[in-house]
Every structure is written in structure tokens, then in C-alpha cells.
Amino acid sequence: MMRICHILLLLAVAFSSCSRASCLPDGTYTLELYSHGDLHGNFFTTLPKIASIVQQARDSVGEENVLFIDLGDHNHGSNSAYYFNHIYRYLQGEGHLYSRIANSLKYDAIVAGNHDIEAGFENFNKIKDELQMPYLAANVIDSATRTPYLHPYAILDKNGLKIAVIGFTTPSVELWLGPEKRGGLHFERIQNMADSLVKQVNEVEKPHFTILALHSGAGDGTVSDYENVASYLASNISGVDLILAAHDHLSSISYENGVYILNSGPYGAILNNAQIRVYVNDGKIVGKNVVPVAIHTADADPSQDFLNMFTEEIGEVDRFSNSPIGKTDRDIDPGKIFNSPCAYSNLLHFVQLQCTGADISFVSPTKSGNILKEGVVSWNDILQLYPFENILYKVRLKGSEIKKYLEESYSIFDDKGKTVGKPYKFDCAGGVIYEVTLSRPVGERVHIFSFTNGQKFDMDSTYSAAMVSYRANGGGGLLSKATGLESSQLGGICTGKYTDVRELLYRFFCSSVSLEETEGCAQWRLIK
């Protein structure tokens, strides 16, 4: 690990925008920092409001006194992101939509998020090459060369101050994305690198103010929570003046072990602002102060300059999003998936089983409230109903492992049916008939009667199961719990990889198949 950190430091020096600082003149130095994360493609809704707020600050105090940082998951999750990642065909030399947006807004640094890689490795690399500011994540390692794939940190010169911004992204990417999605990159645990890298940056670069910029949430503060590490880092490493967090979609401002942790939450609804003051006397820093504020962007006026710059792109997205592709004869409500078979789970099971020919299908919840109403269906409806960029996989499981998988899934409920676990760890099954008795202990709740075609279900037999790439690569831990395999070993039970799930939904609604024909794919019930 020390070898990687030394390489990081050698490569990162080239990204420093100023020479090693000498003594600062006495006085008080003030900077305004603005940060957001988890924008999820809201390029033309909340981002124009953020752009307006930041530009007003630059006009007021001067661009040299303003820091602007994006903490990742920017290029995923909206119609705009989907269209310009997967539908639009770029001309030779034409910049990706996100890199053009980021360059126009003059971010000082940007952190790569897990969904930015999930949007497609070709898109990710295109953006990486086109950004005019450092694209950060010290723990993203090229497996072939064992060198950093992105900038580990940036040194920024702001109003005479030397600011170090050290970036990391959640290492859980390796659990969620297969090698074909992440280009063979390795994601080192942040706790393995952060302390030594912070020390080396502070010793070699001698910044006046050091920021950790994380695409990782607060977490529980323990070393075992490697997905969300901000609280752990605040309590276990020194030499950091401010931590910026993201990824967990939880808006918060906390003060831990003498360091503020700022998390704006998702979709650009909140823009975090921190007024940074550095006090210098006799050529030495004698004090630092951070005053954080959460700015709600809803009431801000959008930047017309920004919107005018992308008028053509906004029109293209609108036309794409609202084009009718089919119809549905009933409402499809994903929120009903937890309590019984529903139109949403039946639809997903149907397209997954049809595509793969698998014996059984597993389906996860999506965003609550994204109800597809009866009537005409557009691309926008599909993207709202299923916002995830998941490839369909087929895996090999024994009957006993399928039961363990379901036992783990239904462990999110207590004996009254109340959700006490994390909803994203829930899957229901299609293709089999089963019941779940919640009054029984976890591990003894699920009884599988048979397949829906009447075939006997045998615990010792081997079956094929359709599931999305997130689950097949270990997301949520269900597959590892069922099989006893580490996430790195799960590729050994994969027997097929297919297309994007949203492509399957598109094909369904373009066809003459009705939702009535999907009924019966899921046959299970909860007994409380």
C-alpha cells in the first residue's frame, strides 16, 4: 500500500497549480467554498440554480476567493444523462455533455462517483479526458500498472492560499459493477490509504488548508463500514481541516473530532457553503475557522446564461423523453413490491425470465413514488420507473442457496411486517411459489413449494437465476450470504450476461404483450 501512495504523490505533483508556498503575509484570508454531490443528471433543473448561486458569489467576492467542487454521481440517473450517454451519437471531437457543462461552470475539482463509472466506461473515459479540472479519486487504481487512474489530489491557489483537495470514491464499486463495467479498475479501501496520503500531501506540498473530498457518506464511524467512511476518517486521521461527503443521499452538517463534515444530499436540492478563514501572524498560521451553511436551491433563480448555452441539448432531451413508445392498461406502482406480488414485480420477472430462460428471477425495489400511470408510455416513463443502469445476468444456484437468498432478503422485516432493515437489500422471487412466515426466526421463514409451472423445487438441485448486475456482483450482500462466496468469487457462478434492463422494458412496451400476461410470474405471500 505504501508503494501505491508514493506513486500517487509523484504523479499528483504534476497537477499542482502553484509552487511550494513560502511564508504568508500577516492577515486574515477568507474563501467561500461551494460543494454538492449526487446531482444524478439534474443538469437542466437544479444545476442552473446552483450555477446562479456560485456565479453571484464569484461576482461578489471574486473568482479567486471561491472554491467550487462536485463530489460525484453527476452523470447518471436522469433523462438527460441517459440520452447523452446511450442514445446520442457524438461527432468526432465533440465533447460529452457533462464535460462541457463542468468546464463551462469552472469547477475547481470534481470527484468521480460510482454511478459515473456505471454510466459506461467509454463515457467515463471520455469525460475524464475532456475535463479541464482535476478528476479526483486516489483509490481508483489501474490493475495492470498499479498506478492511479484518476488524480489523487489537487493543489489549488486561491487568494494566496494553497489548498489541498484529496479525493476518494467508495470502494464498493467492485461489489456493484463487473469488470466489463469498470474496465478492470481496482478500488482500494479508503481507510487503507487516507492517513498516509494526507500525511504525505501535507509534508510535501505544505498546503495552508487541507480538504478531503469524498464520494462516500458519513457511515457508522467503524472501520468495517468501508462504503461510507467520513465519520471514521474524522475520528482517526489528523491533518484535515474539512471533509466533504456524498453518496449516501443524506443531507447533513456535523462536527466530529474538531472537523466539519458537509454532505449536501442528492439531486442539487441543497448546495453546501463553507466560509473558510485562515489567520496569519508573524508569517505563521495561528488559526483556522470554518462556518458552514446549507443553501436550499429551490428558491434560487436559474442561470439564464447557462440555460441559453444548452438550449439545443434541452430540446433534444425533451423530444426524446416525451416520445410515445407504447401503453399500459393499468398503473404500475413499485412501492407495492414489499408486501405482495404486484404489477411492477410481475413485469420485471416476466422480461427477465423471457430474456434469459432462467428458472427463477429476482427483482429489487426501485424509487418509491415513481408510479407509471395507466395510458401512453414514453421513454421518460421508463426512466422514471426504472432509473438504474443494470445489465441482466444469469447465475447458477442450488435450491438451498435460493432459499438462503430469500431468507436474507426477508430478514429486513420484523415479525409484524415492519421494515427494520435496509430496503435496498430486499428482493422478491418470480418463477417459484413460496410463502414467508414472519413469526418464525430469520433463516426459517421461507417455504418454497414448487416452481410456478408445477415442477418440483429441490434443495439439492442446481437452477439458473436471473438477476441484475448490481446483485450478481455482490450488491446488498444477498448473493454472498446465499453462496458463502466472496464478491471477488461471484463471477465463477455467472453463466450469462444480457442487455440493460431498461432496454427490456422498452421492448416490452413496444410489443403487443399486455400486463395481464405477466400475472403469475410472482406467486408468494407474507404471513404475519
Side-chain angles (χ1 to χ4, degrees):
M1 184 49 54
M2 288 303 295
R3 176 176 175 269
I4 291 176
C5 286
H6 285 310
I7 293 172
L8 294 179
L9 199 61
L10 289 170
L11 293 179
V13 169
F15 308 129
S16 302
S17 63
C18 63
S19 61
R20 192 174 297 182
S22 58
C23 292
L24 286 170
D26 290 357
T28 300
Y29 295 77
T30 303
L31 296 177
E32 296 287 338
L33 179 144
Y34 294 89
S35 67
H36 66 82
D38 301 292
L39 185 67
H40 286 292
N42 282 274
F43 303 139
F44 306 129
T45 50
T46 53
L47 188 56
K49 298 184 176 187
I50 290 173
S52 179
I53 295 169
V54 173
Q55 189 56 52
Q56 288 176 28
R58 287 169 170 164
D59 292 342
S60 175
V61 302
E63 189 169 332
E64 71 278 7
N65 295 309
V66 175
L67 278 167
F68 187 26
I69 299 175
D70 179 340
L71 297 165
D73 275 7
H74 29 262
N75 187 39
H76 165 277
S78 72
N79 299 355
S80 301
Y82 185 85
Y83 178 74
F84 282 98
N85 283 330
H86 303 295
I87 305 298
Y88 182 79
R89 293 293 176 258
Y90 290 96
L91 300 175
Q92 185 173 0
E94 183 181 11
H96 191 284
L97 175 65
Y98 177 72
S99 55
R100 287 187 286 129
I101 287 173
N103 291 337
S104 73
L105 295 179
K106 298 180 180 179
Y107 287 96
D108 291 287
I110 297 174
V111 180
N114 54 291
H115 284 301
D116 303 318
I117 300 163
E118 184 183 1
F121 203 61
E122 182 178 350
N123 290 309
F124 177 62
N125 278 331
K126 181 173 176 61
I127 290 169
K128 166 182 172 285
D129 293 340
E130 293 171 351
L131 288 177
Q132 296 169 2
M133 65 289 298
Y135 205 14
L136 301 177
N139 61 321
V140 179
I141 309 298
D142 186 319
S143 299
T145 64
R146 296 297 293 166
T147 58
Y149 195 73
L150 301 175
H151 299 182
Y153 68 91
I155 300 295
L156 307 172
D157 186 357
K158 290 289 183 177
N159 191 24
L161 290 177
K162 193 174 184 182
I163 310 297
V165 182
I166 303 171
F168 291 99
T169 196
T170 176
S172 296
V173 176
E174 286 197 35
L175 291 177
W176 303 331
L177 302 180
E180 76 285 350
K181 272 281 193 177
R182 52 183 165 85
L185 296 178
H186 169 62
F187 293 75
E188 185 66 37
R189 291 197 178 189
I190 299 171
Q191 297 103 317
N192 294 348
M193 299 180 65
D195 185 49
S196 58
L197 184 56
V198 168
K199 287 178 179 176
Q200 290 184 55
V201 170
N202 284 340
E203 289 172 3
V204 174
E205 298 287 0
K206 294 181 169 52
H208 304 117
F209 196 90
T210 299
I211 299 170
L212 277 182
L214 309 174
H215 187 76
S216 181
D220 61 14
T222 66
V223 70
S224 61
D225 186 356
Y226 58 85
E227 178 180 349
N228 295 298
V229 300
S231 289
Y232 175 86
L233 296 182
S235 299
N236 289 277
I237 69 174
S238 59
V240 174
D241 299 302
L242 178 64
I243 297 177
L244 307 177
H247 177 62
D248 59 5
H249 288 205
L250 300 175
S251 175
S252 64
I253 295 177
S254 61
Y255 190 69
E256 302 181 29
N257 197 34
V259 179
Y260 274 108
I261 302 174
L262 311 185
N263 190 336
S264 65
Y267 314 125
I270 292 176
L271 176 66
N272 276 331
N273 167 234
Q275 187 179 77
I276 298 170
R277 288 192 177 94
V278 177
Y279 303 96
V280 179
N281 188 36
D282 290 336
K284 297 180 180 179
I285 294 175
V286 296
K288 300 176 186 180
N289 188 42
V290 175
V291 179
V293 177
I295 301 172
H296 293 263
T297 62
D299 296 331
D301 293 325
S303 168
Q304 286 304 314
D305 289 341
F306 177 86
L307 293 172
N308 292 339
M309 190 179 302
F310 296 99
T311 299
E312 185 175 335
E313 289 83 355
I314 293 170
E316 287 195 53
V317 171
D318 284 343
R319 287 188 292 274
F320 161 73
S321 300
N322 296 311
S323 298
I325 58 172
K327 62 181 181 179
T328 173
D329 58 4
R330 68 194 68 180
D331 291 353
I332 303 176
D333 183 358
K336 295 182 177 180
I337 191 174
F338 296 99
N339 297 315
S340 64
C342 62
Y344 172 77
S345 58
N346 277 326
L347 170 61
L348 267 294
H349 287 311
F350 181 86
V351 298
Q352 292 186 173
L353 291 169
Q354 287 284 314
C355 176
T356 62
D359 301 305
I360 188 170
S361 164
F362 291 110
V363 168
S364 309
T366 183
K367 291 182 179 178
S368 60
N370 291 356
I371 301 174
L372 178 55
K373 293 291 187 179
E374 176 184 355
V376 175
V377 176
S378 67
W379 262 109
N380 183 60
D381 295 319
I382 290 179
L383 296 177
Q384 293 298 315
L385 181 70
Y386 197 89
F388 310 117
E389 297 191 4
N390 278 317
I391 295 171
L392 185 60
Y393 278 43
K394 184 162 66 174
V395 302
R396 182 179 61 252
L397 292 174
K398 290 182 178 180
S400 58
E401 293 171 333
I402 291 171
K403 182 181 184 301
K404 288 178 183 178
Y405 189 105
L406 288 172
E407 289 285 0
E408 183 66 19
S409 175
Y410 286 91
S411 70
I412 72 164
F413 301 109
D414 66 12
D415 58 359
K416 306 298 183 185
K418 181 181 177 182
T419 303
V420 294
K422 296 178 179 179
Y424 74 85
K425 292 190 173 184
F426 175 80
D427 272 9
C428 66
V432 287
I433 302 171
Y434 65 99
E435 66 182 17
V436 184
T437 306
L438 296 179
S439 60
R440 293 176 180 166
V442 173
E444 301 176 12
R445 290 177 163 184
V446 177
H447 179 72
I448 303 173
F449 295 101
S450 68
F451 288 94
T452 54
N453 62 5
Q455 178 187 344
K456 178 185 176 182
F457 183 88
D458 182 64
M459 292 292 177
D460 297 321
S461 295
T462 299
Y463 302 107
S464 58
M467 62 178 62
V468 297
S469 50
Y470 171 76
R471 285 287 192 244
N473 287 298
L478 295 175
L479 197 54
S480 289
K481 286 278 188 179
T483 61
L485 299 174
E486 297 291 333
S487 59
S488 60
Q489 301 172 303
L490 294 176
I493 62 172
C494 176
T495 60
K497 299 178 183 179
Y498 302 85
T499 189
D500 187 285
V501 173
R502 287 177 297 196
E503 175 65 24
L504 298 178
L505 293 174
Y506 170 75
R507 294 176 190 173
F508 176 87
F509 286 112
C510 284
S511 72
S512 58
V513 180
S514 69
L515 285 174
E516 184 177 359
E517 295 179 57
T518 71
E519 293 179 358
C521 285
Q523 297 185 40
W524 59 275
R525 64 172 182 152
L526 282 180
I527 302 174
K528 301 178 182 178

